[in-house]
Amino acid sequence: MRKNDENPVLFWDFHGTLTKPDVVWFDVAMEAAAELAPHRPLTAETLNANLSRNCLPWFTIPDRDARHLTAPGAWWAHSEAEFEKMFQRCGFTHAEAETLAPALREKVLQPARYQLFGDAVLTLKTLKARGYKSYILSNNFPELPEIVTALGLDSLFEQVLVSARIGYDKPRPEIFAHARVAAGQPQNPWMIGDNPVDDIAGGAAAGFTTVAVHGASAPEADHAIDELSELLALLT
């Protein structure tokens, strides 16, 4: 960092960056099927074939312009309709799919499903003590701020910026522009994430310094670290 530069303002991806990249949507779909339709066994192979890169707006809306889903309830209405179709492709009846799809919402909003990386809290606390400002910038459901609070992280972030409330998903430039405005137009924004397209390519195109974490394959990133705590040395 050059002497005349202001402190970087840090924008963090959430899932896979601060929390371990568990397949939460996959898990809740398997659980819902086992609990609500046990007579129709669902195999992991069948679910994976029909759920992978499907159902959620950043997969189902090609241009990732989801402004029409920012109205109250619209994001979940879209996603649950996609989950209904997904369950039917897995062999469930229409009636069964109508029961299964809403169950995913209840389950995925359980904070206990999100496990932080071991060094996440200490890294964030240390950065805050050093005067750095952090924001979450995530492709996610509208209730992510409540999950962040339940995990005890809310005091470590200035704001939780989530695509479902903004109307654009990463890597769209509009979501990065929104983040800049929310943070007061910082001159030195950094994007920290594990997704080579959404976080690294999207952030770079928007003029952010990019940091690929947890060994993500992103050779174009400005920096690459294996542990979040390595950011502390990177920012000295």
Side-chain angles (χ1 to χ4, degrees):
M1 187 168 59
R2 298 187 302 273
K3 283 186 177 180
N4 291 331
D5 282 350
E6 65 177 20
N7 264 358
V9 173
L10 309 177
F11 295 87
W12 300 75
D13 177 50
F14 181 72
H15 193 65
T17 297
L18 293 169
T19 62
K20 296 179 181 179
D22 301 318
V23 282
V24 176
W25 290 103
F26 180 93
D27 292 340
V28 299
M30 288 293 289
E31 288 179 19
E35 293 171 7
L36 300 176
H39 58 285
R40 201 180 302 280
L42 175 63
T43 68
E45 292 76 17
T46 298
L47 177 61
N48 189 60
N50 289 284
L51 177 60
S52 180
R53 300 190 66 78
N54 206 338
C55 298
L56 298 164
W58 44 91
F59 296 135
T60 59
I61 299 177
D63 63 1
R64 302 200 186 198
D65 181 346
R67 285 175 290 175
H68 61 293
L69 301 183
T70 57
W75 192 93
W76 278 109
H78 170 89
S79 299
E80 288 180 10
E82 292 295 324
F83 282 121
E84 283 185 25
K85 291 185 282 187
M86 183 274 294
F87 277 118
Q88 290 182 74
R89 291 194 299 270
C90 289
F92 293 88
T93 67
H94 177 70
E96 290 168 342
E98 283 187 321
T99 300
L100 289 167
L104 271 63
R105 177 178 183 174
E106 177 187 353
K107 291 178 177 296
V108 85
L109 295 182
Q110 296 170 349
R113 294 188 181 276
Y114 302 91
Q115 302 299 313
L116 293 165
F117 279 98
D119 58 349
V121 172
L122 181 58
T123 299
L124 290 165
K125 285 183 175 180
T126 303
L127 289 169
K128 182 170 184 178
R130 291 182 182 179
Y132 291 93
K133 292 183 177 180
S134 288
Y135 293 77
I136 287 177
L137 182 60
S138 175
N139 287 354
N140 231 310
F141 45 73
E143 297 85 354
L144 183 63
E146 287 80 0
I147 298 293
V148 171
T149 296
L151 293 175
L153 299 178
D154 52 318
S155 65
L156 301 176
F157 292 99
E158 304 299 312
Q159 197 172 344
V160 179
L161 306 169
V162 57
S163 63
R165 297 187 176 190
I166 295 168
Y168 292 100
D169 294 299
K170 294 179 291 183
R172 283 286 298 242
E174 292 89 345
I175 191 171
F176 290 98
H178 180 100
R180 278 184 182 268
V181 171
Q185 296 289 9
Q187 295 300 306
N188 193 9
W190 285 36
M191 183 68 220
I192 304 160
D194 69 309
N195 189 298
V197 175
D198 294 350
D199 302 318
I200 305 306
F208 287 53
T209 297
T210 56
V211 183
V213 299
H214 308 309
S217 179
E220 70 277 19
D222 295 301
H223 306 282
I225 57 178
D226 292 320
E227 305 289 339
L228 297 179
S229 57
E230 295 175 44
L231 197 62
L232 301 177
L234 188 60
L235 286 167
T236 52

